[in-house]
Amino acid sequence: MTTPAKTEKPWTGRFNQPTDQFVEAFTASVSFDQRMYRQDIAGSIAHATMLEATGILTRSERDQIITGLQEIEREIEAGDFPWSISLEDLHMNIESRLTARIGASGKKLHTGRSRNDQVATDVRLYLRQEIDAIEGLLRQLQQALITLAKEEAETIMPGFTHLQTAQPVTFGHHMLAWNEMLQRDRQRLLECRSRTNTLPLGAAALAGTTYPIDREMTATLLGFEAICSNSLDAVSDRDFAIEFTSWASLLMVHLSRFSEELVLWSSAQFDWVDLGDSFCTGSSIMPQKKNPDVPELVRGKSSRVIGNLTTLLTLMKSQPLAYNKDNQEDKEPLFDTIDTVKGSLKVYAAMMAQITLKREKMYASAESGFATATDLADYLVRGGIPFRDAHEIVGKSVSYAIDKQCDLAQLELSELQQFCAEIKEDVFSVLTLEGSVAARNHPGGTAPEQVKAAAKRAITLLQQVS
Ligand code: ARG
């Protein structure tokens, strides 16, 4: 980046001294806002088109501006654009380059506009584009989970409460639980998109402009659903960025919980899944190690997204209307959130599509820990015993089995009958893991039949056009 002469800046009219060099670097945002160059150029082209349609620019001025901006876009894409810190930000870099290229018409582009409504427009356009990309990645992850759920609708694992064996569940049901969370995340993202997709341009610095502009036209040209209806609000609030980062925090919290399970499941103690060599790394000292880095890192990255949310909330807190330079600080946390979420979703979708299950290990885990104790109680209740009494009988049976170091299903009928004479031979059908999961056969339950139906419904929701 170069530091050109003072005269390059467009606002030096009322200044007698050049900007201090350190202040120049300190106040500049071009190093990070340049990633919005496409949106800045698209916004300027729409603005120039509207200015011509309303008679503010001539056709030839508009055409020169548009051609100049298109050339600048190519220049940036080729890596040939001379970004300059003394031109502070993306907006002034491009405008100054335009004027250098096309002369006087370039100076007319900023008519009826301010950097305040320009930057708010750019950020909204940029976020909208990234929301669409993120929605696609979220879909891919959901697709991987639903596919797994369909394939593993009958695979049995122990379900936990308090991380203690509770009742057997199917692996497919477990995957669909994660899909439910992601499905709600996707709905919330689309709602956030809609609130992001309103046009600030026309608000100018804060109060609107004296030119006869047509904001609806600019909105249509840029694909905005509506115009921001108050100029002061349009240039100053960044609630759409906060809402997105809050959305992202919740998504990352979901992924951090999922990660915690994958880390546990891939440990030698559980040994339920193999994450695939391409998603793990080794240790430089312990040759036996294969570490679940991807889920660990996603779990870790959830903290930076939550940190970004705190940054943005604190940034906005107590800001008076309208635009304040504080808002230049919105970009880095927002961009970091976007990058982190995209990376996490991308790696997760690939990892879940390649995960290998160790079904026998899961099954064996479900066999220990008395996962079917509730089924025995339900069996007794069906035979007319009040639930609280049934609970007591099963508790005693479990205690007996613990002493004998075996599972309930491994006890003799006569042994079970010591605790309740009404227990019959048919009890063994409910004490099996398969019987236990198959019995929970209602919408939302873990029975394989229900999991298959739920996976079908999940696919339909995934395919619905948002
Ligand atoms: N770089 C600035 C930002 O990111 C652009 C708007 C500057 N406006 C101003 N009045 N200084 O917010």
Side-chain angles (χ1 to χ4, degrees):
M1 246 171 267
T2 54
T3 308
K6 161 183 181 281
T7 48
E8 269 195 31
K9 295 188 209 300
W11 45 250
T12 47
R14 58 102 72 213
F15 285 77
N16 302 317
Q17 302 279 314
T19 321
D20 176 274
Q21 280 221 332
F22 179 72
V23 171
E24 200 162 77
F26 185 75
T27 52
S29 57
V30 65
S31 64
F32 52 85
D33 65 15
Q34 57 178 269
R35 74 151 88 182
M36 302 189 299
Y37 73 89
R38 285 207 185 101
Q39 289 70 30
D40 195 73
I41 288 173
S44 289
I45 289 177
H47 182 64
T49 305
M50 180 279 290
L51 289 180
E52 189 276 334
T54 48
I56 302 164
L57 287 184
T58 67
R59 203 172 270 204
S60 129
E61 286 164 343
R62 175 199 66 188
D63 292 346
Q64 283 179 61
I65 288 173
I66 293 178
T67 311
L69 288 169
Q70 286 165 341
E71 279 164 14
I72 288 173
E73 186 161 357
R74 282 194 287 277
E75 201 173 32
I76 297 174
E77 245 132 49
D80 295 335
F81 188 88
W83 296 106
S84 154
I85 281 186
S86 69
L87 286 168
E88 203 176 314
D89 56 27
L90 156 83
H91 324 293
M92 295 206 303
N93 266 269
I94 291 182
E95 193 193 324
S96 147
R97 185 77 179 152
L98 181 69
T99 303
R101 277 177 162 277
I102 67 169
S105 308
K107 294 187 187 169
K108 294 195 173 178
L109 170 63
H110 215 50
T111 313
R113 182 176 84 167
S114 149
R115 275 186 297 154
N116 297 352
D117 57 348
Q118 187 180 359
V119 69
T121 302
D122 290 3
V123 178
R124 283 175 185 265
L125 281 174
Y126 185 81
L127 182 56
R128 184 182 75 188
Q129 166 198 292
E130 295 298 324
I131 284 177
D132 291 344
I134 289 169
E135 203 252 339
L137 292 167
L138 200 45
R139 252 173 217 273
Q140 282 175 27
L141 174 55
Q142 284 189 267
Q143 181 68 60
L145 296 181
I146 300 168
T147 303
L148 251 182
K150 264 197 308 204
E151 289 166 5
E152 310 296 339
E154 324 230 341
T155 305
I156 289 174
M157 63 180 269
F160 297 117
T161 59
H162 314 269
L163 205 57
Q164 308 285 322
T165 299
Q167 292 171 354
V169 293
T170 50
F171 189 82
H173 194 52
H174 199 104
M175 288 302 107
L176 288 182
W178 290 117
N179 180 62
E180 285 294 310
M181 295 175 224
L182 298 182
Q183 175 67 20
R184 288 194 297 276
D185 283 332
R186 213 159 54 80
Q187 289 170 344
R188 276 187 284 266
L189 180 64
L190 294 172
E191 286 162 21
C192 171
R193 184 194 196 276
S194 177
R195 274 183 290 274
T196 299
N197 201 20
T198 56
L199 173 80
L201 275 180
L206 76 165
T209 175
T210 54
Y211 299 95
I213 55 169
D214 180 350
R215 297 186 68 206
E216 292 291 347
M217 179 184 180
T218 315
T220 306
L221 288 171
L222 291 170
F224 281 109
E225 288 164 36
I227 58 170
C228 296
S229 22
N230 180 293
S231 63
L232 295 165
D233 172 50
V235 292
S236 63
D237 205 357
R238 296 290 184 266
D239 59 355
F240 61 95
I242 297 175
E243 184 177 348
F244 170 77
T245 309
S246 153
W247 170 84
S249 299
L250 184 48
L251 170 81
M252 293 303 289
V253 164
H254 285 155
L255 292 183
S256 79
R257 298 179 61 196
F258 199 170
S259 296
E260 176 70 8
E261 295 200 332
L262 293 175
V263 170
L264 283 171
W265 295 353
S266 55
S267 69
Q269 287 66 28
F270 273 78
D271 199 24
W272 289 1
V273 298
D274 190 334
L275 292 179
D277 287 359
S278 27
F279 297 95
C280 298
T281 63
S283 155
S284 53
I285 176 167
M286 296 168 283
Q288 84 283 11
K289 294 274 271 188
K290 180 171 151 185
N291 297 326
D293 288 47
V294 166
E296 285 178 275
L297 205 49
V298 170
R299 190 177 58 186
K301 281 181 186 292
S302 62
S303 66
R304 64 193 282 160
V305 173
I306 295 166
N308 289 338
L309 174 60
T310 307
T311 303
L312 288 176
L313 284 168
T314 317
L315 176 67
M316 189 48 62
K317 183 186 169 298
S318 312
Q319 269 196 54
L321 290 174
Y323 176 86
N324 301 288
K325 183 80 167 179
D326 311 42
N327 282 338
Q328 182 163 291
E329 288 288 307
D330 64 352
K331 287 163 206 63
E332 286 165 295
L334 179 64
F335 296 161
D336 183 69
T337 300
I338 290 169
D339 295 345
T340 306
V341 163
K342 281 172 88 178
S344 303
L345 287 173
K346 193 175 159 173
V347 76
Y348 242 79
M351 182 176 67
M352 292 313 292
Q354 287 180 42
I355 194 168
T356 309
L357 306 191
K358 300 184 178 175
R359 299 185 189 84
E360 308 72 38
K361 291 275 176 59
M362 277 187 200
Y363 193 89
S365 305
E367 276 182 313
S368 64
F370 305 100
T372 57
T374 318
D375 298 85
L376 178 56
D378 290 344
Y379 168 87
L380 296 172
V381 168
R382 281 197 296 277
I385 296 170
F387 184 78
R388 279 292 155 230
D389 296 339
H391 191 284
E392 177 75 10
I393 294 165
V394 178
K396 288 191 169 133
S397 313
V398 166
S399 165
Y400 178 81
I402 291 172
D403 287 343
K404 251 196 109 178
Q405 296 190 354
C406 70
D407 191 46
L408 286 175
Q410 292 165 325
L411 295 175
E412 296 296 331
L413 180 58
S414 57
E415 290 175 291
L416 285 167
Q417 284 172 337
Q418 303 173 80
F419 306 106
C420 176
E422 274 142 82
I423 297 179
K424 303 277 161 2
E425 187 63 40
D426 62 355
V427 74
F428 292 102
S429 68
V430 308
L431 291 182
T432 63
L433 298 175
E434 288 76 6
S436 172
V437 292
R440 287 166 170 79
N441 194 13
H442 53 77
T446 194
E449 200 183 310
Q450 294 297 333
V451 172
K452 286 173 202 161
K456 248 194 210 149
R457 284 195 299 274
I459 285 288
T460 311
L461 284 174
L462 197 58
Q463 285 162 352
Q464 261 168 23
V465 193
S466 40

